[in-house]
């Protein structure tokens, strides 16, 4: 029972520390035009953000920096401060023309769905940052009085957490973008509502 209380206290302390920071979220729109759902979708295809060689409907990117304090404790090195600064940028389409019904409602539904999809990617990024914070605050490496050994060990852990976040995002996209998936349905409803 005492171990469970200690674990609960540590989890609470970790969640309290994680709430000392807030991600900055911003939208970077790109303009699209069209008088039909198909024309709008073609405009998205021509103007959407590039991901590799292809253009996509929307994209979630981020910039993550840290304020870290490494302290010598005896013959060991410990990370005593690890505060993130996270900026998440959602690149989303923005219509440059006025639409009449029923196309306006279809566009609004499409944009709300795409935005919700990208926000999930943003949540995955926030989760990763919280995991990095939890894994690194208090991290200690023995026989490292000059705090040299701890840095590569930390980078290895950060790489693992980053790869896990990317895999999670790819798996989510695979479900959402496949035939019958949520984003696939949004596209179909925008282009051909029948």
């Amino acid at each position: 029972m005492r171990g469970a209380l200690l674990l609960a206290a540590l989890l609470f302390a970790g969640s309290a520390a994680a709430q000392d920071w807030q991600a900055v979220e911003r939208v970077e729109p790109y303009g699209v035009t069209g008088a039909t759902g198909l024309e709008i979708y073609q405009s998205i295809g021509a103007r959407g953000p590039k991901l590799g060689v292809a253009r996509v409907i929307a994209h979630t990117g981020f910039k993550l920096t840290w304020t870290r304090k490494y302290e010598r404790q005896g013959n060991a090195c410990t990370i005593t401060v690890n505060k993130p600064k996270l900026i998440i940028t959602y690149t989303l389409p923005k219509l440059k023309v006025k639409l009449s019904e029923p196309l306006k409602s279809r566009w609004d539904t499409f944009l709300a769905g795409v935005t919700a999809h990208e926000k999930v990617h943003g949540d995955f990024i926030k989760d990763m940052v919280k995991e990095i914070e939890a894994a690194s605050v208090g991290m200690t490496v023995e026989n490292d009085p000059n705090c040299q050994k701890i840095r590569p060990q930390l980078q290895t852990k950060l790489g693992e957490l980053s790869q896990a976040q990317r895999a999670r995002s790819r798996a989510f996209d695979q479900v959402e973008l496949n035939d019958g998936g949520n984003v696939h349905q949004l596209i179909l409803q925008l282009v051909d509502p029948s």
Side-chain angles (χ1 to χ4, degrees):
M1 178 70 170
R2 187 172 180 184
L5 289 175
L6 179 60
L7 178 61
L10 289 172
L11 290 174
F12 178 75
S15 66
Q19 294 184 16
D20 287 346
W21 60 273
Q22 292 287 326
V24 174
E25 296 180 81
R26 61 187 191 95
V27 173
E28 191 172 279
Y30 67 92
V32 294
T33 60
T36 67
L38 180 58
E39 288 176 2
I40 293 169
Y41 188 66
Q42 288 170 333
S43 181
I44 288 170
R47 296 186 172 107
K50 272 194 160 182
L51 199 58
V53 295
R55 291 199 179 267
V56 295
I57 296 169
H59 180 259
T60 300
F62 69 96
K63 179 180 180 185
L64 175 61
T65 56
W66 294 89
T67 300
R68 286 195 182 102
K69 186 173 182 183
Y70 299 87
E71 285 188 14
R72 179 179 177 173
Q73 296 181 342
N75 201 34
C77 182
T78 300
I79 298 174
T80 57
V81 174
N82 197 41
K83 187 168 176 123
K85 180 179 179 186
L86 174 63
I87 301 170
I88 300 174
T89 303
Y90 303 103
T91 305
L92 297 165
K94 182 175 183 178
L95 207 53
K96 291 182 170 181
V97 295
K98 297 266 186 202
L99 297 177
S100 56
E101 293 297 344
L103 183 55
K104 181 185 182 313
S105 292
R106 290 185 0 234
W107 168 255
D108 290 344
T109 298
F110 174 82
L111 184 58
V114 167
T115 301
H117 173 91
E118 294 304 318
K119 292 284 188 173
V120 171
H121 285 296
D123 288 343
F124 290 168
I125 293 165
K126 290 181 221 173
D127 289 347
M128 176 193 68
V129 172
K130 290 173 188 172
E131 290 171 9
I132 290 171
E133 190 176 30
S136 54
V137 172
M139 180 179 184
T140 300
V141 174
E142 297 297 330
N143 300 316
D144 190 17
N146 296 321
C147 293
Q148 298 299 313
K149 296 177 187 174
I150 196 169
R151 294 169 198 268
Q153 289 186 25
L154 176 63
Q155 290 305 314
T156 298
K157 184 64 178 170
L158 299 185
E160 292 168 2
L161 293 171
S162 177
Q163 290 302 321
Q165 179 267 327
R166 289 180 183 151
R168 188 177 180 198
S169 282
R170 281 192 301 271
F172 175 66
D173 277 344
Q174 190 170 24
V175 170
E176 290 269 298
L177 300 173
N178 273 344
D179 286 350
N182 186 46
V183 173
H184 182 244
Q185 291 299 319
L186 290 168
I187 294 166
L188 292 178
Q189 290 167 11
L190 175 65
V191 173
D192 183 13
S194 57

